Amino acid sequence: MLSEWRWLVREQGAVEIGVLDDSFNINRQRVLEICQALVDEGLHHVPWIMINGIRANLPTRSFWGR
């Protein structure tokens, strides 16, 4: 995922990225690792959306306050 993101931002000049992953936030640790990798790579300035949304019953209060 990170290599595609890097390609979209740095090579294609993406100004927004749409992610199509119905189960993106099922594994909380995976989400945190992806987000941290985006920050570490300097790719977090490009807005992104979850095209199909995310599971609303999974986030915790600490997840949103991070």
Side-chain angles (χ1 to χ4, degrees), residues 3-64:
S3 61
E4 289 177 278
W5 209 289
R6 193 180 305 116
W7 177 76
L8 286 168
V9 173
R10 295 185 181 154
E11 303 295 325
Q12 301 300 311
V15 295
E16 181 178 83
I17 296 175
V19 178
L20 182 60
D21 183 348
D22 292 340
S23 59
F24 180 77
N25 70 325
I26 287 180
N27 181 333
R28 181 178 185 265
Q29 188 58 41
R30 176 180 173 253
V31 172
L32 295 174
E33 289 170 6
I34 290 170
C35 291
Q36 186 60 55
L38 293 173
V39 170
D40 293 345
E41 288 279 333
L43 301 171
H44 60 290
H45 66 283
V46 176
W48 49 293
I49 60 169
M50 303 305 296
I51 295 172
N52 288 342
I54 60 171
R55 295 275 310 257
N57 65 325
L58 296 176
T60 62
R61 190 173 289 275
S62 64
F63 180 81
W64 294 113

